Amino acid sequence: MKLKKQVTVCGAAIFCVAVFSLYLMLDRVQHDPARQQSGGNFPRDCQFALGSKGQSPDLQMLAVYSLLPFDNQDGGVWKQGFDITYEPNEWDTEPLQVFVVPHSHNDPGWIKTFDKYYYDQTQHILNSMVLKMQEDPRRRFIWSEISFFSKWWDNISAQKRAAVRRLVGNGQLEMVTGGWVMPDEANSHYFAMIDQLIEGHQWLEKNIGVTPRSGWAVDPFGYSSTMPYLLKRSNLTGMLIQRVHYAIKKHFAATQNLEFMWRQTWDTDSSTDIFCHMMPFYSYDVPHTCGPDPKICCQFDFKRLPGGRINCPWKVPPRAITDANVAERAQLLLDQYRKKSKLYRSKVLLVPLGDDFRYDKPQEWDAQFLNYQRIFDFLNSQPNLHVQAQFGTLSDYFDALYKKVGIVPGMKPPGFPVLSGDFFSYADREDHYWTGYYTSRPFYKSLDRVLEAHLRGAEILFSLALAHARRAGAEGKYPLSDYALLSNARRNLGLFQHHDAITGTAKEAVAVDYGVRLLHSLMNLKHIIINAAHYLVLGDKDTYHHDPAAPFLSTDDTRPSQDSLPERTVVKLDISPRFLVVFNPLEQERLSVVRVLVNSPHVRVLSEEGQPLPAQLSTRWGSATDTVPDVYQVSVLARLPALGLRVLQLHKSFDSHSMLQSSVRLYLPGHDLPVRRQEPVPVRVLPASTEDICLENQHLRACFSARSGLLQSIRRAGEEREQRVNSEFLVYGTRTSKDKSGAYLFLPDGEAKPYAPKDSPVVRVTEGPLFSEVASYYQHVQTVVRLYNVPGVEGLSLDVSCLVDIRDHINKELALRFSTDIESEDTFFTDLNGFQIQPRRYQRKLPLQANFYPMPTMAYIQDTQNRLTLHTAQALGVSSLSSGQLEVILDRRLMQDDNRGLGQGLKDNKRTRNRFRILLERRTTASKAQDGRPISFPSLLSHITSMHLNTEALVMPVAQEKPAPLALRSFMPLSTALPCDFHILNLRMLQAEQDESLPSAEAALILHRKGFDCSLEAKNLGFNCTTSQGKLALGSLFQGLELGSLQPTSLTLMYPLGTASNSTNIHLDPMEIATFRIRLG
Ligand SMILES: [Zn+2]
């Protein structure tokens, strides 16, 4: 029989008394029943997740997946499709209208760095574009990456700029999407997706005076339904996608469903609909865009004319168009156009003409544009052919289609289907699923999220500090140069959203280039936060003086290089007290354990007013058994105001009762290891044990195997039954065949095998009054599972950290799997971009790797009783391979290229810390019927847990050299608590009209109202908020500041929505994101 040794977090009674009396003081709110989730306005706000009687879409992607056989039959010349036939007289009454759209796909970093691509290729493409487009007004071109375009713009003459504006103005050049990059849609977070879209759109508006109308995304490896929502809310009316699973393309082609209105799953009318064109064939290059036969289409890529550097792999070269061959050539091409047209409902046809980094030489422009013009001239001169062919932009195509079906842009064309769902996971051929990149280079995926949190925090705090400084007439003293750093950080984060950056699919040197940019911006953002915090916490603003050489505050951590983990700052204690300023970037007050490293165990933590705060002292471990000399961790329980700054004091104190002690038990597996202890934290060394270890707080009890140190079960307080949550590490290998896993592809050699390390782990249990944790040290991974003994959000879930180091692995992927008794069957849920939840179904007819999905912020499984959510602080690949399981890939090391152009394996692994939160919730009113719907929402607790995980409090010590100022005051920017379901996505200061390195008087306030599910039990959540049916009074929200103006705009500020009204009360529907142009002061 297994003995269970229970360790309550609140081990010693005396500490409990001390801690709980402090709780009573700290946690007033949670005993207010009106603030519980079941009270207030919640019932009405709960209706949303239950759904209403909205019409179901014609195409629901989950259902499409269930329907398709995925049999990959040979389709002939169109290998992944079918034979297309037509009657020659089909266009007699309504001619075929063909738009050939020249494009050049420019990756902002992939094989080369962003700068190298710019110097080697992109600048030449854009220079010859200006030249060659002016030669013939019938020529057209589209451009999408503003990162490149703006760099070029900075380097060209006023004359050339004027020419570009003319080309845009007369419709020859169209800016499509207009984002900073063409973002990855699997790993990117909606904060960053929106931010790079704003950055691009703001640049376009300012410099060219144009607003994009159509979206163009030919290369992202699968498509999220978040993107159509963002484009729609930016007032775009059409969009195009390309990399969709070949079996779905075939099915949609056969049913003429390649064009549809893409609708959000939660949308019950049609307010989120946007027209979407899906390209039908294998690729966006010329051989796969003119029609079904690549052997023929390739002959119409005139860059491949004989004598050039590239040719046609189908062995029939293009021929220059002459009077002698034009009739035959045009007929051959028209046959392809007609066949392609049969896959669509309208008689307007889109034919993209381009490829990666195309049109970089004037000769190529001539070859393509002159030869195609000859073909068009011929086709258009033959009335019997019933075709009208021309160059066009993407919007030329959409406009012609809308005109033909008799609608205005933005409306639903009659007879076209409505689709909801997304296009993950992507396979381009056979069983080659692009599911590896959900995890590739997790180090940078994690760094990306850290940068995002800092950017958001810096934006908000900079905007608030500047507004307060302006109001006090102190703008002249404020470091306005921070705005340029902020702007640069937006652009570096934006660049990293590119579909070869955050995906982990660039060359090693390019990954380093991205890493350096991210690190550089992270440091700058910390300085912006420090400068803003300095101003905001000063009691007497007249004493404010910014000295760039001696910052008032220092940073919470440092990173020695772009690929190293952060090293936390150690605060040196002295006779005079040290002050800390803690920034809470969340828009909700939080009761959190704030951790600080100090150089002495003799320490006391006081509030700003001098009240002692509960704090736990623990040692700092450098390895499994070795403490870091003279460094101690102080964990303080502090209530942090929403978006605010809390001032804390650290005093040196020899009063032994001032600090709550923790104790440590070390389980050593057989072998002798030297143990270094550090007074006064007691350490007991024990042999490996067969007993379980349990941690418990007032909400839950988590038990671990003492031998493995891994989580086994969770039991919620007041419940008889414990839920098995058995965690284990597993390893996937790669196949022995030619096709192996690489940066993009996941091609495992079968099911995962248990991870079998050489040695058993050292297991270290720390028990204390504020938190307890179980750490296990394996050769390739160190896990720490922590339970906070804190009322409210922090204590309701388990905090999990996995420090992964697989640099000595060869062709292996390390996975973490949780096995439970939850009867989830084949269904699991993953988020899209942290914005929405997409239900998934494990498809047995598909290979294992096809069942992995991106997990940017969370995944869960559920039955009618329970829901288990894995929250994550970095994007990773996830699946549920059997009922009750949830599995995440932590890192992958692959020695070879996977033949998608990268030409490299994935061998530059770093020590990476993956962070999670495990939340077990009880479902109260779930029903099978409800669960059968293709829609799901997290609970409010889950949303807030995710925000806690992704937005850590920042601890900034007041620099030691500074004499402690007498009047540091905590800063509380909000006068009232925001409704629980409102999220301030950003408060983004806009650029000054004249000088782009300076801020204007206006900011963009971007709000998101989250959709949530009330059918999960929510007792004592400790939220200091309620919901308000979407109402928010903005006028009085910011304490001490006046809202000078409030103008609702489209998402990226391009279009005002309605007129600015005098009312500052706003309303948001659930799930909606809204942008307001505001003036604070
Ligand atoms: Zn690309």
Side-chain angles (χ1 to χ4, degrees):
M1 197 183 99
K2 240 181 7 181
L3 285 171
K4 289 213 168 173
K5 180 174 172 60
Q6 179 170 331
V7 178
T8 55
V9 176
C10 213
I14 182 149
F15 293 144
C16 289
V17 173
V19 172
F20 283 120
S21 61
L22 284 158
Y23 282 169
L24 291 177
M25 187 183 80
L26 285 160
D27 196 47
R28 302 167 301 268
V29 178
Q30 86 143 7
H31 303 291
D32 178 354
R35 296 203 194 268
Q36 284 186 16
Q37 192 161 335
S38 52
N41 283 314
F42 281 104
R44 219 183 282 179
D45 285 313
C46 289
Q47 293 304 315
F48 172 70
L50 301 174
S52 64
K53 300 143 214 69
Q55 261 191 322
S56 54
D58 307 300
L59 304 165
Q60 206 276 104
M61 287 313 297
L62 255 189
V64 171
Y65 256 87
S66 302
L67 183 85
L68 297 186
F70 294 95
D71 52 0
N72 195 19
Q73 285 185 14
D74 193 329
V77 291
W78 177 20
K79 214 168 171 318
Q80 298 171 325
F82 46 85
D83 243 6
I84 308 171
T85 56
Y86 60 87
E87 300 298 325
N89 60 357
E90 280 189 50
W91 291 271
D92 284 4
T93 50
E94 195 187 352
L96 182 66
Q97 203 180 353
V98 180
F99 289 93
V100 172
V101 179
H103 68 99
S104 179
H105 180 69
N106 281 234
D107 290 307
W110 181 38
I111 304 302
K112 300 178 186 178
T113 63
F114 172 73
D115 286 336
K116 188 97 171 78
Y117 271 136
Y118 175 77
Y119 288 113
D120 289 356
Q121 278 135 298
T122 308
Q123 61 164 334
H124 305 301
I125 295 169
L126 290 168
N127 283 331
S128 45
M129 184 271 294
V130 183
L131 205 68
K132 289 291 168 184
M133 294 283 277
Q134 294 182 92
E135 286 181 7
D136 187 338
R138 293 172 295 180
R139 294 181 178 181
R140 297 286 183 274
F141 197 61
I142 60 169
W143 191 265
S144 61
E145 296 81 12
I146 304 304
S147 46
F148 275 128
F149 204 87
S150 68
K151 187 178 174 73
W152 174 65
W153 193 258
D154 290 342
N155 289 308
I156 61 172
S157 66
Q159 203 183 6
K160 210 178 251 189
R161 288 180 181 181
V164 172
R165 289 196 188 99
R166 276 198 303 278
L167 290 171
V168 171
N170 71 13
Q172 280 188 265
L173 172 63
E174 183 184 7
M175 308 305 282
V176 283
T177 315
W180 200 247
V181 298
M182 183 186 291
D184 169 43
E185 299 184 18
N187 303 290
S188 54
H189 190 274
Y190 75 117
F191 170 85
M193 289 169 90
I194 294 173
D195 207 63
Q196 63 84 29
L197 198 59
I198 293 180
E199 195 60 22
H201 284 181
Q202 290 280 288
W203 187 92
L204 281 172
E205 189 176 52
K206 216 177 161 60
N207 293 281
I208 308 197
V210 67
T211 50
R213 297 175 50 214
S214 305
W216 174 265
V218 286
D219 204 23
F221 325 139
Y223 297 91
S224 159
S225 45
T226 305
M227 203 60 182
Y229 176 76
L230 301 183
L231 297 180
K232 172 75 178 185
R233 289 290 173 258
S234 305
N235 274 18
L236 275 70
T237 49
M239 62 184 290
L240 171 145
I241 58 175
Q242 148 61 20
R243 288 197 186 269
V244 171
H245 194 297
Y246 60 87
I248 294 171
K249 286 186 172 216
K250 179 179 178 175
H251 174 64
F252 281 7
T255 49
Q256 285 193 326
N257 284 331
L258 289 164
E259 288 183 325
F260 48 85
M261 293 305 272
W262 198 344
R263 181 176 297 176
Q264 298 303 311
T265 48
W266 72 83
D267 182 7
T268 50
D269 48 54
S270 56
S271 85
T272 61
D273 286 14
I274 182 168
F275 188 72
C276 181
H277 172 102
M278 184 189 292
M279 289 168 60
F281 308 121
Y282 174 74
S283 163
Y284 54 82
D285 61 10
V286 184
H288 298 93
T289 47
C290 94
D293 191 344
K295 183 175 174 177
I296 290 169
C297 289
C298 195
Q299 299 171 45
F300 295 90
D301 183 359
F302 298 102
K303 188 186 169 135
R304 306 190 200 224
L305 281 167
R309 280 177 51 197
I310 54 166
N311 54 23
C312 283
W314 296 268
K315 307 225 166 80
V316 185
R319 278 184 280 155
I321 305 299
T322 61
D323 286 346
N325 70 12
V326 67
E328 174 266 323
R329 294 275 94 188
Q331 274 290 358
L332 188 64
L333 185 57
L334 179 60
D335 175 60
Q336 289 298 308
Y337 286 170
R338 285 176 166 181
K339 283 175 174 157
K340 183 175 178 183
S341 167
K342 291 291 287 178
L343 309 179
Y344 291 90
R345 290 178 190 231
S346 88
K347 294 219 154 94
V348 188
L349 182 68
L350 174 69
V351 180
L353 181 72
D355 205 338
D356 292 359
F357 294 96
R358 280 300 186 91
Y359 301 100
D360 64 337
K361 292 193 176 63
Q363 300 86 306
E364 185 181 351
W365 285 82
D366 291 341
Q368 300 289 36
F369 280 87
L370 293 174
N371 283 303
Y372 266 93
Q373 193 60 54
R374 283 176 201 135
I375 295 173
F376 299 159
D377 289 346
F378 175 81
L379 288 173
N380 299 341
S381 70
Q382 306 289 310
N384 60 318
L385 294 178
H386 302 284
V387 61
Q388 201 229 323
Q390 60 203 297
F391 293 117
T393 65
L394 182 59
S395 291
D396 287 340
Y397 166 74
F398 282 134
D399 284 342
L401 187 149
Y402 299 146
K403 197 173 163 199
K404 205 143 230 182
V405 299
I407 59 156
V408 295
M411 276 175 64
K412 178 179 183 293
F416 283 68
V418 171
L419 175 143
S420 79
D422 70 337
F423 298 101
F424 291 117
S425 286
Y426 170 60
D428 57 349
R429 55 184 189 244
E430 293 149 15
D431 62 350
H432 294 188
Y433 282 85
W434 296 42
T435 50
Y437 84 94
Y438 302 156
T439 304
S440 296
R441 294 194 170 118
F443 178 89
Y444 295 104
K445 287 178 162 75
S446 161
L447 182 55
D448 166 81
R449 198 63 62 78
V450 171
L451 188 69
E452 267 169 49
H454 279 78
L455 177 57
R456 180 179 162 275
E459 294 271 14
I460 294 172
L461 221 49
F462 176 81
S463 296
L464 292 174
L466 191 56
H468 279 281
R470 281 172 171 165
R471 197 174 165 84
E475 191 180 356
K477 291 201 274 178
Y478 198 82
L480 293 180
S481 55
D482 279 2
Y483 188 76
L485 303 179
L486 200 52
S487 175
N488 194 254
R490 293 169 180 167
R491 293 176 175 193
N492 280 335
L493 179 71
L495 192 72
F496 196 67
Q497 305 312 305
H498 163 53
H499 57 263
D500 292 305
I502 192 170
T503 49
T505 56
K507 289 254 196 214
E508 285 180 14
V510 179
V512 171
D513 181 65
Y514 289 131
V516 168
R517 287 169 185 270
L518 296 181
L519 176 66
H520 178 75
S521 284
L522 182 61
M523 292 187 325
N524 284 340
L525 291 170
K526 283 182 189 288
H527 281 282
I528 296 166
I529 291 170
I530 278 172
N531 286 342
H534 175 197
Y535 183 80
L536 292 169
V537 295
L538 275 187
D540 180 3
K541 307 288 190 225
D542 290 340
T543 62
Y544 174 72
H545 170 67
H546 170 70
D547 180 358
F552 183 72
L553 298 165
S554 49
T555 53
D556 54 334
D557 62 24
T558 50
R559 291 182 187 239
S561 65
Q562 59 89 21
D563 59 353
S564 54
L565 290 168
E567 292 170 6
R568 284 166 55 203
T569 309
V570 179
V571 179
K572 296 200 168 53
L573 296 175
D574 211 337
I575 305 132
S576 54
R578 294 293 310 268
F579 288 84
L580 303 174
V581 175
V582 187
F583 174 40
N584 171 23
L586 286 188
E587 61 275 291
Q588 298 295 345
E589 184 182 75
R590 78 205 265 185
L591 182 61
S592 281
V593 173
V594 172
R595 286 174 297 152
V596 197
L597 296 184
V598 291
N599 65 337
S600 160
H602 308 296
V603 56
R604 227 151 60 99
V605 189
L606 305 180
S607 72
E608 175 188 349
E609 299 84 11
Q611 295 292 321
L613 293 173
Q616 175 176 327
L617 186 78
S618 35
T619 35
R620 180 85 173 146
W621 295 87
S623 72
T625 56
D626 206 1
T627 55
V628 181
D630 301 322
V631 176
Y632 299 84
Q633 178 171 286
V634 177
S635 306
V636 193
L637 184 61
R639 191 173 279 285
L640 305 174
L643 295 175
L645 299 159
R646 171 72 82 203
V647 178
L648 302 177
Q649 313 179 29
L650 290 179
H651 286 254
K652 201 155 191 175
S653 162
F654 289 91
D655 173 4
S656 61
H657 296 296
S658 62
M659 191 55 68
L660 306 167
Q661 297 288 0
S662 58
S663 64
V664 173
R665 282 179 294 141
L666 267 176
Y667 294 96
L668 300 186
H671 47 97
D672 256 352
L673 279 167
V675 174
R676 178 155 63 187
R677 297 171 169 84
Q678 181 145 288
E679 288 304 322
V681 178
V683 176
R684 274 195 298 152
V685 178
L686 303 158
S689 165
T690 51
E691 293 179 348
D692 278 359
I693 303 161
C694 296
L695 308 179
E696 185 167 5
N697 68 10
Q698 56 178 314
H699 303 297
L700 57 93
R701 189 169 101 119
C703 294
F704 301 76
S705 146
R707 196 170 281 281
S708 73
L710 299 179
L711 180 65
Q712 307 239 286
S713 68
I714 300 176
R715 200 186 76 196
R716 278 185 304 254
E719 281 183 24
E720 279 296 301
R721 215 176 125 239
E722 67 176 22
Q723 176 60 247
R724 184 170 69 93
V725 185
N726 192 43
S727 56
E728 60 183 322
F729 292 106
L730 299 153
V731 176
Y732 286 98
T734 53
R735 297 175 182 179
T736 49
S737 61
K738 168 171 95 8
D739 295 315
K740 290 187 171 67
S741 300
Y744 303 89
L745 306 184
F746 180 33
L747 289 168
D749 60 347
E751 290 180 10
K753 293 166 190 68
Y755 166 63
K758 274 208 306 271
D759 302 311
S760 298
V762 172
V763 176
R764 191 181 64 227
V765 182
T766 302
E767 301 154 52
L770 290 185
F771 74 85
S772 292
E773 64 184 29
V774 176
S776 51
Y777 284 73
Y778 290 89
Q779 193 187 348
H780 300 99
V781 57
Q782 300 164 17
T783 62
V784 180
V785 181
R786 182 175 300 153
L787 180 63
Y788 288 103
N789 188 32
V790 175
V793 180
E794 298 282 26
L796 286 161
S797 58
L798 287 171
D799 185 281
V800 179
S801 127
C802 294
L803 180 62
V804 178
D805 185 354
I806 57 165
R807 286 175 293 182
D808 64 349
H809 273 178
I810 289 172
N811 276 333
K812 285 192 169 64
E813 314 202 19
L814 185 66
L816 171 59
R817 180 185 290 169
F818 299 96
S819 304
T820 74
D821 300 321
I822 295 172
E823 290 164 10
S824 57
E825 295 170 3
D826 58 356
T827 304
F828 58 111
F829 303 82
T830 64
D831 75 301
L832 290 167
N833 319 101
F835 175 62
Q836 57 182 320
I837 298 294
Q838 177 63 52
R840 307 291 184 191
R841 210 148 284 151
Y842 181 83
Q843 297 288 353
R844 242 151 272 282
K845 63 189 166 195
L846 293 178
L848 184 147
Q849 67 271 20
N851 288 290
F852 275 78
Y853 290 94
M855 176 180 63
T857 64
M858 68 175 78
Y860 52 83
I861 50 171
Q862 65 184 23
D863 55 23
T864 52
Q865 305 287 311
N866 294 288
R867 176 185 288 183
L868 182 81
T869 308
L870 180 66
H871 293 279
T872 178
Q874 58 287 309
L876 295 169
V878 73
S879 189
S880 170
L881 299 176
S882 17
S883 183
Q885 278 188 7
L886 208 49
E887 166 173 334
V888 56
I889 311 283
L890 297 174
D891 197 3
R892 48 206 313 263
R893 190 156 195 277
L894 302 159
M895 314 313 282
Q896 61 284 313
D897 182 48
D898 50 6
N899 302 313
R900 294 303 183 279
L902 176 59
Q904 249 180 18
L906 204 56
K907 297 185 282 190
D908 59 348
N909 305 66
K910 324 284 180 208
R911 288 177 77 231
T912 301
R913 191 184 303 282
N914 289 319
R915 297 170 47 243
F916 308 96
R917 281 252 177 178
I918 298 173
L919 175 64
L920 180 66
E921 292 175 287
R922 187 182 156 83
R923 302 187 76 209
T924 50
T925 56
S927 70
K928 282 248 170 191
Q930 195 79 24
D931 287 356
R933 298 183 317 145
I935 182 167
S936 185
F937 296 93
S939 66
L940 266 182
L941 172 62
S942 182
H943 277 304
I944 295 179
T945 301
S946 178
M947 302 225 285
H948 276 233
L949 176 63
N950 279 283
T951 321
E952 293 199 299
L954 264 63
V955 183
M956 299 167 281
V958 174
Q960 196 164 16
E961 307 77 52
K962 298 272 169 187
L966 289 169
L968 289 186
R969 278 197 220 139
S970 290
F971 170 67
M972 282 165 253
L974 303 186
S975 56
T976 50
L978 275 177
C980 298
D981 50 352
F982 270 70
H983 175 47
I984 298 182
L985 199 54
N986 211 340
L987 178 60
R988 193 185 202 263
M989 198 55 91
L990 301 178
Q991 224 170 55
E993 210 52 58
Q994 295 79 21
D995 187 344
E996 69 164 36
S997 67
L998 289 175
S1000 77
E1002 289 186 320
L1005 174 65
I1006 310 175
L1007 298 174
H1008 175 205
R1009 185 174 170 210
K1010 302 201 165 191
F1012 63 93
D1013 183 345
C1014 304
S1015 74
L1016 295 123
E1017 190 178 72
K1019 273 191 273 183
N1020 300 327
L1021 297 180
F1023 302 160
N1024 185 15
C1025 59
T1026 180
T1027 61
S1028 61
Q1029 296 158 62
K1031 292 200 237 14
L1032 178 62
L1034 276 179
S1036 55
L1037 184 64
F1038 294 100
Q1039 195 157 261
L1041 293 174
E1042 266 166 45
L1043 192 60
S1045 67
L1046 175 74
Q1047 169 67 59
T1049 72
S1050 60
L1051 182 64
T1052 57
L1053 298 117
M1054 293 191 303
Y1055 303 86
L1057 301 178
T1059 49
S1061 80
N1062 287 332
S1063 168
T1064 51
N1065 295 331
I1066 60 150
H1067 177 266
L1068 266 188
D1069 282 329
M1071 288 307 288
E1072 293 292 344
I1073 303 174
T1075 303
F1076 302 89
R1077 197 184 277 270
I1078 68 166
R1079 199 179 281 261
L1080 274 181

